Amino acid sequence: MVFLALPDTAYESHLRDYFQTTLHHCRQGTLALVEGISSTVLRQQAHPDFSPVGWHLGHIAFTESVWILEHLAQQPCPFPDYQTLFAADGLPKARRQQLPSLKMLLAFLANIRQRTLAYLSVAPLTEQQRLWHWLIQHECQHSETISLVMALHQLQGKATPLRYPIGGQSGERSTTMIAIPGQSVCLGLDAGHDSHIAIDNEYSAHRVEVASFQIEPTPVTCEQYQRFITANGYRQRQWWCEAGWDWLQVTQVNQPLYWPTQDLAKFRHHPVCGVNWYEASAYARFVGKRLPTEAEWALAAKGLASKLPTLLQNGQLNCDHRLGHTSPVGLSAQAVSDYGCYDLLGNVWEWTDSWFRPYPGFQAYPYQGYSAVYFDDRHRVLRGGSWATRSWALRPSFRNWYEPHVRELFMGFRCAL
């Protein structure tokens, strides 16, 4: 297909360079995850709620084809045979294991990317940039899902390229609760430049009033959570909400999913990882506290948005697979909010007490089902990102959402009062 070149302003040129570079680096990170992957880990489900690694690779390419080549460039689908297999609403997750080989999947990714870059060279980016930002973040999100699927395979004894966690001491941060005075806080992203990178559920920016509260300076650590386990917290009804207790009777779990059973002493300063909302809220009751609301979490993170570019540039955040797993809390003296909270970005996602609901003025983008179908009062909001969150999807305003029983993501929490 022949494209007609459009006038290339300085801003368009800047955007073109930015997207070309970012697409390249984002894809490098995705491909690095599957280097040396076995056919078993590539194709098999590790959990009924999650598709195989190979499906995510194909879905990344398929989505790029749909939104860039078909939607923007008006090209016909170059791989029609893959439409059912890799569409999000195509096959049930259990039927996504009959996949092409890794070689074929990588060729699919490369072919679509070559076509995408050809269109990028002439695309009217000023008017299209939100969709390009969305596409990059879409790959980031599936890259993180690949990481958790591989972690699940690792738990089941299948070899994966994931690295093991580092040990070490924390930055000796205080555990004293931080008092934050009542005030208003902005939820969502402001108009202007931010509007191009925002996911639809971050719209629109609005202020809400928050009463005074206290919050812990770091996420709950394994050492702290061990007290709940030792006190037989998983078998005492008094700490659990009704739905959480019902879940516990069915699953009969007695520790977090990614619990360092063999080496707890080495990882006692790491944040607890692999807990669901039920476990997080039960622990909070056990220590006489609660989970923070989404607005409280956002207020505790005040000041981090402006620091984020520097923190990323200087490697001060445990994200983007920089370390390969969780790290001790409070390591970076720079990665601290105005109120003195650490580890609010990266390391582990943090559960909040808020339901995932639309902000005032919400408009679905780029399609109706992206966020809107989850506004069902069955999903809780998580904030902050994890060690596997890519930098392009890491910011204080980013909202993740999962049902309360899910514990497979790299999830932790901090308590409030």
Side-chain angles (χ1 to χ4, degrees):
M1 183 173 181
V2 177
F3 299 111
L4 297 177
L6 298 173
D8 200 5
T9 64
Y11 184 56
E12 288 264 332
S13 179
H14 164 75
L15 287 175
R16 222 171 298 282
D17 290 343
Y18 171 80
F19 286 125
Q20 184 167 9
T21 301
T22 303
L23 286 165
H24 172 71
H25 288 308
C26 184
R27 180 57 51 83
Q28 280 189 314
T30 302
L31 297 181
L33 288 177
V34 297
E35 239 178 85
I37 192 171
S38 69
S39 177
T40 297
V41 174
L42 179 75
R43 289 190 167 101
Q44 283 189 3
Q45 268 189 298
H47 187 281
D49 291 344
F50 297 94
S51 301
V53 169
W55 183 88
H56 288 282
L57 292 176
H59 178 69
I60 288 170
F62 171 79
T63 303
E64 186 171 318
S65 173
V66 168
W67 290 105
I68 302 300
L69 302 184
E70 296 180 53
H71 182 72
L72 294 182
Q74 299 294 298
Q75 296 183 28
C77 177
F79 291 87
D81 292 346
Y82 283 163
Q83 285 183 302
T84 299
L85 177 57
F86 292 123
D89 57 356
L91 299 175
K93 291 183 175 66
R95 294 180 56 198
R96 295 175 178 176
Q97 301 183 80
Q98 301 300 315
L99 295 166
S101 67
L102 179 61
K103 182 178 180 180
M104 293 177 67
L105 288 169
L106 295 181
F108 180 33
L109 283 159
N111 186 293
I112 297 300
R113 178 52 53 88
Q114 183 180 21
R115 296 167 187 259
T116 295
L117 293 176
Y119 176 67
L120 176 63
S121 67
V122 296
L125 295 175
T126 302
E127 62 189 66
Q128 294 179 356
Q129 58 182 304
R130 187 182 180 194
L131 189 56
W132 288 86
H133 281 296
W134 177 86
L135 180 78
I136 290 165
Q137 292 178 80
H138 175 269
E139 180 162 344
C140 290
Q141 290 170 286
H142 281 274
S143 172
E144 183 160 2
T145 304
I146 287 172
S147 300
L148 80 84
V149 172
M150 294 174 77
L152 294 174
H153 279 300
Q154 192 175 56
L155 284 178
Q156 296 163 13
K158 302 183 181 75
T160 72
L162 281 177
R163 285 176 280 174
Y164 289 91
I166 63 168
Q169 301 297 314
S170 69
E172 300 301 323
R173 306 300 172 197
S174 170
T175 58
T176 303
M177 300 282 284
I178 295 171
I180 299 181
Q183 59 195 283
S184 68
V185 63
C186 181
L187 294 181
L189 284 179
D190 295 319
H193 172 71
D194 286 344
S195 64
H196 301 306
I197 68 171
I199 299 297
D200 62 1
N201 62 69
E202 292 174 272
Y203 278 117
S204 60
H206 62 289
R207 301 199 73 84
V208 298
E209 294 296 323
V210 178
S212 60
F213 67 102
Q214 298 178 58
I215 194 165
E216 292 178 331
T218 67
V220 171
T221 64
C222 291
E223 182 176 56
Q224 293 170 315
Y225 198 86
Q226 172 65 23
R227 298 166 194 159
F228 179 63
I229 297 175
T230 302
N232 209 26
Y234 278 88
R235 295 296 172 260
Q236 295 187 31
R237 173 68 180 85
Q238 68 201 79
W239 310 125
W240 299 80
C241 66
E242 184 176 351
W245 186 249
D246 291 343
W247 167 82
L248 192 59
Q249 302 321 294
V250 172
T251 61
Q252 292 294 303
V253 302
N254 56 19
Q255 64 186 31
L257 182 61
Y258 302 115
W259 188 249
T261 305
Q262 304 301 321
D263 212 355
L264 179 58
K266 185 176 180 182
F267 302 115
R268 64 187 186 277
H269 295 303
H270 287 239
V272 64
C273 183
V275 289
N276 63 25
W277 189 90
Y278 297 139
E279 292 167 284
S281 59
Y283 172 89
R285 290 190 193 91
F286 171 74
V287 296
K289 300 175 184 178
R290 61 176 175 81
L291 297 180
T293 66
E294 180 179 13
E296 288 172 337
W297 190 98
L299 185 53
K302 183 180 179 181
L304 283 174
S306 60
K307 295 179 182 180
L308 182 56
T310 301
L311 293 173
L312 288 171
Q313 183 177 1
N314 296 337
Q316 296 295 310
L317 300 175
N318 182 11
C319 64
D320 212 1
H321 285 261
R322 188 172 70 87
L323 300 176
H325 214 289
T326 56
S327 61
V329 300
L331 278 182
S332 172
Q334 288 75 47
V336 59
S337 73
D338 289 354
Y339 285 109
C341 291
Y342 295 85
D343 292 81
L344 284 162
L345 294 175
N347 222 354
V348 289
W349 287 98
E350 297 186 19
W351 286 105
T352 74
D353 195 42
S354 298
W355 293 109
F356 184 57
R357 291 170 176 164
Y359 287 163
F362 169 81
Q363 293 184 344
Y365 183 88
Y367 58 94
Q368 185 62 35
Y370 182 69
S371 295
V373 295
Y374 303 102
F375 296 144
D376 54 7
D377 279 358
R378 292 174 52 194
H379 294 75
R380 296 281 186 178
V381 175
L382 298 101
R383 291 290 201 115
S386 79
W387 61 267
T389 303
R390 310 300 301 279
S391 59
W392 302 282
L394 187 78
R395 53 183 175 272
S397 61
F398 196 98
R399 310 172 77 201
N400 206 343
W401 64 91
Y402 275 92
E403 292 182 87
H405 71 274
V406 175
R407 64 205 303 252
E408 288 73 29
L409 196 68
F410 307 121
M411 300 158 157
F413 65 100
R414 73 181 71 212
C415 295
L417 270 175

